[in-house]
Amino acid sequence: MPYIRDFDIRATATVRRLPNSWQPFMSALTFLGEPLVVIAAGFAGFISAINRSQDAVVKAFFYAAIAFCLSTILKFILHRRRPNDLIIETLGIKSYSFPSGHAFGTVIFYGLFAYLDIKYLSSPWNYLFGIFITSVIFLIGISRIYLQAHYPSDVVGGWLLGGVSLAGIILLSF
């Protein structure tokens, strides 16, 4: 699909114009989106919800874990190679490019935290935390392009699939 390829080329060129001095910042952002970090944050939310007897939140984190597993399966089905033939292995398993697991995982787990903040915290903190978390999700996706681990279409696809999954999780849980 030439329009996706053209989008990837233009968006990558735009992101790569960011200064090289941003490398440590982008690496730190990518770390926040690492599957183990995201899953650990989700697990902490899950345990907290269990301890507080918040059944809807427990259910939401359970569905989020299932969605994350399905996105990983989708990567293996689609089998899209990473930019520059970058080989990434997680737990000894080769990881493919589409959808970006960082983008997908942060939308469903961190997005769930943002939803819970907006729903349960008092104003203006609810919106401030929601905006902050949403900004982190966006920047983690940009970091994946900057570090050349993903094509922009992988990241956008991860955000979109994660957003649809998050909406379904919220509808099923609350």
Side-chain angles (χ1 to χ4, degrees):
M1 294 185 226
Y3 55 92
I4 292 176
R5 189 176 59 85
D6 292 343
F7 167 75
D8 284 338
I9 291 168
R10 283 195 302 269
T12 298
T14 300
V15 171
R16 293 295 298 158
R17 283 190 204 113
L18 295 171
N20 289 336
S21 61
W22 284 33
Q23 176 83 26
F25 176 66
M26 292 297 184
S27 294
L29 285 167
T30 279
F31 176 76
L32 291 175
E34 286 294 331
L36 290 177
V37 173
V38 173
I39 291 168
F43 186 70
F46 178 75
I47 295 301
S48 176
I50 288 172
N51 290 336
R52 296 170 188 242
S53 299
Q54 296 171 321
D55 294 338
V57 178
V58 169
K59 191 185 325 180
F61 278 110
F62 178 75
Y63 289 147
I66 292 171
F68 189 76
C69 290
L70 292 175
S71 82
T72 303
I73 292 168
L74 184 60
K75 278 181 174 252
F76 287 103
I77 292 170
L78 296 177
H79 208 90
R80 185 178 190 195
R81 292 168 55 138
R82 289 181 179 268
N84 302 322
D85 292 327
L86 179 66
I87 296 174
I88 294 180
E89 290 195 21
T90 304
L91 302 174
I93 301 169
K94 184 175 178 182
S95 178
Y96 296 102
S97 194
F98 185 89
S100 165
H102 280 66
F104 185 90
T106 56
V107 168
I108 59 171
F109 283 107
Y110 295 164
L112 183 55
F113 282 117
Y115 172 79
L116 295 170
D117 287 345
I118 291 168
K119 183 173 174 136
Y120 294 114
L121 291 179
S122 60
S123 188
W125 298 110
N126 59 342
Y127 294 109
L128 291 174
F129 280 116
I131 290 167
F132 174 74
I133 292 171
T134 302
S135 299
V136 169
I137 292 168
F138 174 75
L139 290 171
I140 288 169
I142 297 301
S143 78
R144 301 304 287 160
I145 300 164
Y146 179 89
L147 296 171
Q148 298 180 13
H150 280 288
Y151 297 105
S153 56
D154 300 333
V155 172
V156 171
W159 285 335
L160 291 173
L161 291 170
V164 169
S165 298
L166 180 60
I169 289 164
I170 290 168
L171 286 172
L172 290 170
S173 302
F174 299 98

